Amino acid sequence: MFLLRGLKSSIIIAPWRSAVRTLKVAVVGAGGGIGQPLSLLIRRCPGVDELALHDLSETKGIAADLSHVSQRGKVVGFTGEEGLEPALTAADVVVVAAGMPRLPGMQRDDLMAANGRVAIKVATAVSKASPGALLAFITNPINMIVPTAAAVLKAHGNYDPRRLFGVTTLDVVRSKKFIGDSMNISPDEVTIPVIGGHAGITILPLISQCQPVFKGGSKETQSLTHRIQEAGTEVVNAKAGKGSATLSMAFAGAHFVGSLLRGLGGQEGVVECAFVASELTNAPFLVSPLELGRDGIQRYLPLPQMSDSEKGALEKLLPILRQNAEEGIQFAKNYLKEKSASPVPAALP
């Protein structure tokens, strides 16, 4: 039986009872709609000795504001492209919320054109300033951003697949909420793995593996699955073109960072789903359950059991993930060719 441990707000807003080593967390995009609440929630994570905030616009005010929170540790703001490497220097965890939000009718290629460059710049800066950091991307489109970052890290000789993550925790958060509401129970009582990718039909909540057992029929299961897959569009439409999911994403992102910190601190049994390099299927990157530890991914857990319909859905999404990975890697190759007269290393993934 698969259990997704945690995902309760107490991880974010209440102190841990066990001691953890002090760590530095850097938030890239700290001034944005996700970045500010994300930084606040991370500020409340015990064990964070330094919180570095970076954005292209001024972050000193945000840093000063957060420095008044009654929590141990310091908060430092960094601004502009010249401030990126100093912000990331000696970071243990780098979480990236920078980039353009998805707007109504926006095509994936349009979003990638803007945000792919963000991923490349951050991955390059991490390679120089904090090569041992755990690097977690919130920036969309995750299905392409993570392969892009992997290619850049590999080109710089700093690619460790156990340290690179696409944060898909919001899909789990939404699944727990929607299923909990449907079953008239607290979302905190729900555990469910969500595998695949982080867009549309690539998001695959395994409702057959939900605990407590979901007793709805196939029609209700299909309806819930569709809502989880299209929940991002639901928020984009509700905001009438003025943004995408920010607060719920900050909540989910802070939870994932909290889990990374618990793993770094030596806590055992920390399990999350995330988009990572994978050998579980024929897609090179996949959301799957992972056990986190001192080096990032401590153990790749096997895919949970699936119903026949879920197996069919997985087969349909894998070609999309393969194509997304190829496009992300090609994006990185093209960018690196533009920026350098020297050949792009043949060893790109």
Side-chain angles (χ1 to χ4, degrees), residues 34 37 169-170 173-174 235 239 244-254:
I34 295 172
T169 312
L170 183 54
V173 167
R174 287 167 167 162
V235 176
K239 291 190 175 183
S244 56
T246 54
L247 300 176
S248 56
M249 185 65 251
F251 172 85

Side-chain angles (χ1 to χ4, degrees), residues 24 84-91 129-130:
K24 176 179 176 179
L84 182 57
E85 286 185 28
L88 305 187
T89 298
S130 52

Side-chain angles (χ1 to χ4, degrees), residues 21 30 143 169 172 197 303:
R21 68 178 191 178
N143 292 1
T169 312
V172 177
L303 289 177

Side-chain angles (χ1 to χ4, degrees), residues 57 107 143 160 171-172 195 212 222 256 265-266 275 306 316 348:
S57 56
Q107 299 299 312
N143 292 1
D160 182 349
D171 297 326
V172 177
I195 66 170
Q222 290 173 7
F256 187 76
F275 189 69
M306 288 174 256
K316 289 181 181 178
L348 283 171

Side-chain angles (χ1 to χ4, degrees), residues 38-254:
L38 173 66
S39 299
L40 172 61
L41 292 169
I42 293 174
R43 179 80 174 103
R44 291 288 288 149
C45 288
V48 179
D49 186 56
E50 180 177 350
L51 179 60
L53 309 180
H54 177 272
D55 213 313
L56 295 179
S57 56
E58 188 57 62
T59 59
K60 287 184 179 179
I62 300 170
D65 198 357
L66 285 177
S67 71
H68 293 179
V69 172
S70 54
Q71 195 81 15
R72 290 176 62 101
K74 64 180 179 179
V75 184
V76 186
F78 298 85
T79 304
E81 292 194 15
E82 69 281 0
L84 182 57
E85 286 185 28
L88 305 187
T89 298
D92 296 283
V93 177
V94 176
V95 56
V96 187
M100 178 185 295
R102 184 163 67 98
L103 301 175
M106 180 176 283
Q107 299 299 312
R108 181 188 62 197
D109 289 345
D110 296 331
L111 191 60
M112 186 63 186
N115 291 349
R117 293 176 181 271
V118 172
I120 289 171
K121 289 178 180 179
V122 174
T124 299
V126 166
S127 293
K128 296 177 180 179
S130 52
L134 306 186
L135 178 55
F137 280 94
I138 290 173
T139 305
N140 274 314
I142 287 290
N143 292 1
M144 297 172 68
I145 288 289
V146 172
T148 296
V152 173
L153 291 169
K154 194 163 190 178
H156 286 281
N158 186 46
Y159 179 53
D160 182 349
R162 293 178 178 265
R163 294 177 177 269
L164 176 62
F165 305 88
V167 181
T168 62
T169 312
L170 183 54
D171 297 326
V172 177
V173 167
R174 287 167 167 162
S175 297
K176 288 164 64 68
K177 172 60 176 172
F178 300 162
I179 291 171
D181 287 352
S182 176
M183 297 175 67
N184 197 29
I185 61 175
S186 168
D188 286 340
E189 297 178 31
V190 178
T191 60
I192 178 172
V194 183
I195 66 170
H198 190 54
I201 67 166
T202 68
I203 302 169
L204 182 54
L206 300 183
I207 296 178
S208 70
Q209 301 305 303
C210 176
Q211 294 294 328
V213 175
F214 181 70
K215 296 182 179 179
S218 60
K219 187 174 181 179
E220 191 173 0
T221 297
Q222 290 173 7
S223 177
L224 276 169
T225 298
H226 180 74
R227 188 183 178 199
I228 293 164
Q229 291 172 337
E230 296 299 322
T233 301
E234 183 179 318
V235 176
V236 169
N237 291 339
K239 291 190 175 183
K242 295 181 180 180
S244 56
T246 54
L247 300 176
S248 56
M249 185 65 251
F251 172 85

